[in-house]
Amino acid sequence: MENRRAIVSVIGKDQVGIIAKVTQVLASKEINVLDISQTILEEFFTMMMIIDVSDNEQLDDIRHKLQTVGDEMGLKINLQLEDVFQAMHRI
Amino acid sequence: MTRNIGLHEMTETIRMVQMENLDIRTVTIGINLRDCTDPNFEQMQERVYEKILQYAKDLTKVAESVEREYGIPIINKRISVTPIAELLGQATVEQAIALAKTLDEAAKDLGVDFIGGYSALVHKGVTKGEQTLINALPEALSVTERVCASVSVATTKTGINMDSVQQMGKVIKEASEKTRDQNGLACAKLVVFANPVEDNPFMAGAFHGTGEGEAVLNVGVSGPGVVLNALKRHPNPNADLGSVSSVIKNTVFKITRAGEFLGRVVAERIGVPFGIMDLSLAPTNALNDSVAEILEEIGLERVGTHGTIAALALMNDAVKKGGAMASEYVGGLSGAFIPVSEDNGMIKGVSDGALSLSKLEAMTCVCSVGLDMIAISGDAPATTIAGMIADEAAIGMINKKTTAVRVIPVPDKEEGEIVEFGGLLGRAPVMGVNPYGSDKLINRGGRIPAPLQALIN
């Protein structure tokens, strides 16, 4: 299986437990977090994670679970395959 | 191994998508229908339907899953087919209308937004099948929902077929009348072209040209909002124009790379070759997703004022330069669109009296595509509409570029009133036309001969 990575982005109001809840979903699916960082984007708290999704066929399910966490906390959580970021930002 | 994507780059992409309306406007699958001809017309309808299904059956499903996986919206799924006039042969007008319904049905069954190619190429002469299609247009466009039509009346190589120009003036009036209760909506699905291209993914003018293969996937990306915001973020609001051009180039490069990448993924999954990227900035009525507002950000108090064409030329050229570098195969129309009803800034320009029909015409000299989605008063005579078509065709013919007319004479509406078309088609203030006639020119008929520009061998 090829090496496949995805980017999880969380945008919204900063609050206690964001990283905990997101990583809990990822851990339950045995997904390894490769990198994690956060910043403020246009006044919103933004967290990005690069995760390893090689051999993982449950992306839709994970995406759904993350969205549920997002809805509970009033955050926008997305999971996107990394290739498109590579296409846009690397020649 | 590629280098890690940095936080700044991640946030840039996410900002483009979530805050600035970056999207893939359309993935359009072009399908050859020439092998569907059959002496038995019903048999042909069936074959057309089957062939479209064969190639496009997974288009919607695949596009939606790619959209989900990569987190970049793909707004429209579309189909373009061989110009239908080529299939009509001895068919009657009623049969031609029935075939339009077949296309509409296929589009609906597949969940695609539009199907283009109800078209005829008559820039030099008109075959029997083409005449049948043109006669069928008003009815065909009013009884179908998703079928888009185009007619080519001029090319640089052939000159302008003024007989067809005259006829298209009448067809547009008739189509408008037939959809009187929808503000002449049928006309929003009809484009009259000069120098049309064979691989255009955008509607209403998409068709699968004769130079194309069996099936192909073409992509149109969109991002006026992204370009506008990139300009707004420039640290120096008075940066010189070279720097403005640079910002646009850099931004469009990234947009195009995203579009081509996703287009290739879709093409691979549905099993057809990737065709081209169309580098067009296509506006929508979403907040800030406006070409006019980019021009205003460059430095116009209101779009349409003096300097508009210079700003547009700069923007259009920068889009091409950035995009050309980003894509393996560039094609389609590849130039900024300036539809009035689909662009809030253009609507405001017209409402404020800054943007006139004449200025819009002039703007089409330096960008794609032509007088687009412009509502005009319902009492404009057919010969006046034909005159507008002739003017645009002349601009296209002499400048060796694609031009087009998609105007909507709105029954019972007069200059200044606002009409709603709905969805991506938006809303438009009705514009007045020149009160003086062009009847004699139009009624002379014949052809405007091919210009000197055609004689290049």
Side-chain angles (χ1 to χ4, degrees):
Chain A
M1 183 74 191
E2 60 183 319
N3 192 8
R4 213 162 56 132
R5 310 199 305 184
I7 290 177
V8 175
S9 60
V10 181
I11 301 178
K13 193 173 168 294
D14 199 4
Q15 56 198 285
V16 174
I18 295 180
I19 293 179
K21 287 200 172 143
V22 170
T23 47
Q24 203 175 2
V25 171
L26 299 175
S28 73
K29 299 288 176 187
E30 301 193 353
I31 286 176
N32 188 25
V33 177
L34 302 169
D35 192 7
I36 181 165
S37 46
Q38 58 184 55
T39 183
I40 301 295
L41 174 66
E42 316 227 329
E43 296 161 28
F44 293 107
F45 165 80
T46 308
M47 181 186 74
M48 310 275 169
M49 285 176 173
I50 300 180
I51 59 174
D52 187 346
V53 292
S54 313
D55 300 316
N56 199 305
E57 300 300 327
Q58 304 179 59
L59 288 188
D60 276 343
D61 187 32
I62 299 167
R63 188 176 290 114
H64 183 73
K65 288 207 161 65
L66 288 175
Q67 272 162 5
T68 312
V69 170
D71 291 344
E72 283 165 15
M73 305 184 77
L75 300 163
K76 215 162 165 182
I77 305 185
N78 280 296
L79 187 156
Q80 299 166 262
L81 290 178
E82 193 207 20
D83 318 24
V84 70
F85 291 81
Q86 293 282 354
M88 283 176 86
H89 299 287
R90 294 286 177 274
I91 300 176
Chain B
M1 183 64 196
T2 42
R3 280 189 298 134
N4 271 356
I5 292 294
L7 179 64
H8 171 74
E9 292 161 325
M10 286 189 252
T11 51
E12 185 179 23
T13 297
I14 286 162
R15 182 175 56 210
M16 283 180 179
V17 175
Q18 302 202 357
M19 302 172 188
E20 299 169 359
N21 304 311
L22 168 63
D23 58 52
I24 312 299
R25 175 55 49 81
T26 178
V27 288
T28 305
I29 182 169
I31 304 171
N32 166 42
L33 295 182
R34 256 170 268 127
D35 57 347
C36 297
T37 49
D38 195 298
N40 176 332
F41 198 83
E42 282 169 15
Q43 196 80 36
M44 179 164 87
Q45 277 175 274
E46 221 163 277
R47 294 173 71 159
V48 163
Y49 183 88
E50 291 300 326
K51 180 93 189 259
I52 293 172
L53 243 60
Q54 180 196 335
Y55 279 99
K57 62 177 187 305
D58 294 331
L59 180 64
T60 305
K61 196 176 71 192
V62 166
E64 282 169 1
S65 72
V66 170
E67 170 179 62
R68 210 166 44 240
E69 286 166 39
Y70 291 95
I72 295 183
I74 298 177
I75 304 296
N76 265 202
K77 279 70 77 177
R78 301 173 178 172
I79 297 171
S80 67
V81 296
T82 302
I84 288 296
E86 290 180 22
L87 308 186
L88 289 180
Q90 299 293 323
T92 63
V93 168
E94 289 68 33
Q95 286 173 323
I97 294 166
L99 193 53
K101 289 181 184 162
T102 305
L103 297 177
D104 205 35
E105 202 184 311
K108 284 176 182 162
D109 291 349
L110 289 168
V112 303
D113 301 278
F114 289 109
I115 183 162
Y118 199 74
S119 306
L121 310 181
V122 296
H123 35 257
K124 189 142 181 231
V126 186
T127 65
K128 191 166 183 304
E130 286 159 351
Q131 190 57 58
T132 305
L133 182 122
I134 291 172
N135 293 343
L137 278 175
E139 179 73 11
L141 291 176
S142 45
V143 297
T144 56
E145 218 177 276
R146 305 187 188 190
V147 174
C148 290
S150 56
V151 175
S152 166
V153 295
T155 67
T156 299
K157 277 290 185 190
T158 62
I160 307 175
N161 183 347
M162 289 297 285
D163 292 325
S164 293
V165 169
Q166 180 191 37
Q167 204 186 356
M168 288 315 294
K170 294 179 190 160
V171 166
I172 289 172
K173 284 289 279 184
E174 215 184 309
S176 158
E177 276 302 322
K178 279 190 188 290
T179 44
R180 170 178 278 272
D181 53 343
Q182 296 168 279
N183 291 323
L185 185 67
C187 300
K189 298 178 284 176
L190 172 61
V191 186
V192 186
F193 267 128
N195 291 323
V197 297
E198 302 193 334
D199 52 8
N200 161 27
F202 285 103
M203 295 295 169
F207 63 85
H208 186 71
T210 43
E212 296 289 319
E214 207 42 35
V216 70
L217 190 92
N218 298 319
V219 176
V221 72
S222 168
V226 180
V227 173
L228 176 64
N229 281 295
L231 287 174
K232 282 187 171 167
R233 270 196 304 275
H234 197 290
N236 174 5
N238 296 313
D240 80 357
L241 294 169
S243 163
V244 168
S245 167
S246 244
V247 169
I248 298 174
K249 277 194 289 187
N250 293 345
T251 310
V252 171
F253 176 85
K254 290 174 190 166
I255 298 175
T256 307
R257 291 274 289 191
E260 174 145 338
F261 178 81
L262 294 196
R264 284 182 181 279
V265 173
V266 173
E268 198 193 322
R269 291 195 195 168
I270 58 176
V272 303
F274 177 81
I276 56 93
M277 271 302 294
D278 189 319
L279 312 175
S280 296
L281 281 188
T284 65
N285 292 114
L287 186 67
N288 287 339
D289 204 20
S290 156
V291 168
E293 285 174 32
I294 297 175
L295 304 181
E296 291 172 359
E297 182 61 32
I298 293 175
L300 307 170
E301 187 180 353
R302 185 73 75 243
V303 70
T305 189
H306 307 287
T308 297
I309 293 170
L312 179 57
L314 176 151
M315 187 199 79
N316 199 48
D317 182 63
V319 167
K320 286 182 207 172
K321 285 173 178 163
M325 172 82 183
S327 170
E328 260 175 54
Y329 298 105
V330 174
L333 296 168
S334 286
F337 296 154
I338 51 169
V340 172
S341 75
E342 299 166 6
D343 187 316
N344 289 340
M346 295 289 176
I347 295 169
K348 190 163 174 19
V350 173
S351 298
D352 291 355
L355 180 59
S356 67
L357 206 48
S358 315
K359 195 68 172 188
L360 281 161
E361 269 176 2
M363 287 161 79
T364 68
C365 299
V366 299
C367 78
S368 145
V369 140
L371 294 177
D372 196 16
M373 287 306 290
I374 295 173
I376 56 172
S377 45
D379 58 2
T383 46
T384 292
I385 296 171
M388 294 166 85
I389 296 171
D391 280 345
E392 277 300 318
I395 290 171
M397 171 180 79
I398 296 296
N399 294 303
K400 294 177 270 186
K401 73 185 285 291
T402 308
T403 49
V405 173
R406 179 164 56 147
V407 294
I408 301 130
V410 188
D412 309 320
K413 290 281 186 336
E414 283 168 21
E415 190 171 351
E417 293 185 64
I418 299 271
V419 289
E420 295 279 345
F421 298 112
L424 273 182
L425 298 173
R427 68 201 154 82
V430 176
M431 301 180 83
V433 297
N434 197 309
Y436 297 95
S438 348
D439 308 37
K440 187 173 173 187
L441 169 80
I442 298 304
N443 293 332
R444 278 177 188 270
R447 280 191 284 139
I448 293 181
L452 264 181
Q453 282 88 327
L455 309 178
I456 54 173
N457 296 334

